DNA sequence: TTTTTGACTTGGT
DNA sequence: AACCAAGCCAAAA
């Protein structure tokens, strides 16, 4: 089942490392999760993420720092709201460069326990 | 097994 | 900066 898929688990745990108030791109998450070239799989994994894990899916956006959902859609509005609650404001559907997550690799690898 | 489908990315205009 | 075409790759059909 999807909730036990090892690819998905890796993705969820990686997304869990994004601190509040910061954002990362799908491709970045894929890379950090050890799944280069699988940005699209990240989106799918987030859609299947069990809510008990409380995966901060809203902190993941496209490489150009825009939301992945159509502007005005319910999901987009929800994501926007969640981000603003964390202090991440969107200018014209884009977040500021300062809000990009720049993880410390050593620390990240330690937390993910590869 | 083959084709289609994306919560994507990149490079060229 | 905005748009488009190709490339991408696991999943679902």
């Amino acid at each position: 089942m999807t909730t036990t898929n090892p690819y998905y688990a890796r993705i969820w745990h990686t997304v869990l490392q994004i601190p509040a108030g910061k954002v990362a791109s799908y491709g970045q998450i894929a890379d950090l999760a050890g799944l280069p070239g699988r940005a699209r799989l990240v989106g799918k994994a987030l859609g299947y993420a069990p809510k008990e894990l409380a995966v901060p899916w809203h902190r993941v956006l496209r490489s150009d720092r825009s939301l992945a959902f159509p502007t005005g859609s319910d999901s987009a509005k929800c994501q926007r709201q969640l981000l603003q609650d964390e202090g991440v404001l969107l200018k014209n559907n884009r977040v500021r460069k300062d809000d990009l997550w720049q993880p410390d690799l050593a620390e990240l690898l330690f937390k993910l326990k590869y």
Side-chain angles (χ1 to χ4, degrees):
Chain A
M1 187 27 184
T2 62
T3 60
T4 60
N5 183 310
Y7 280 6
Y8 292 174
R10 283 292 277 279
I11 292 169
W12 296 331
H13 288 289
T14 302
V15 173
L16 250 350
Q17 307 307 315
I18 306 174
K22 291 290 175 180
V23 301
S25 77
Y26 293 91
Q28 183 182 2
I29 293 303
D31 288 346
L32 294 174
L35 302 167
R38 267 148 284 193
R40 303 185 104 127
L41 190 61
V42 173
K44 188 167 295 189
L46 290 177
Y48 290 142
K51 63 173 181 287
E52 52 268 32
L53 269 187
V55 176
W57 60 272
H58 56 283
R59 296 183 199 148
V60 184
L61 15 134
R62 293 206 270 240
S63 61
D64 65 356
R65 311 201 307 283
S66 66
L67 302 192
F69 297 103
T71 313
S73 67
D74 288 349
S75 296
K77 284 190 280 189
C78 178
Q79 181 171 23
R80 233 190 124 115
Q81 183 61 62
L82 288 167
L83 286 172
Q84 290 190 11
D85 288 348
E86 296 184 343
V88 178
L89 6 167
L90 291 84
K91 307 228 153 183
N92 227 3
N93 212 43
R94 295 282 186 82
V95 306
R96 298 171 314 188
K97 297 173 220 160
D98 322 354
D99 292 322
L100 290 174
W101 180 42
Q102 291 170 15
D104 175 75
L105 269 273
E107 181 185 342
L108 180 66
L109 293 177
F110 175 74
K111 287 185 179 171
L112 292 178
K113 282 288 195 236
Y114 286 123

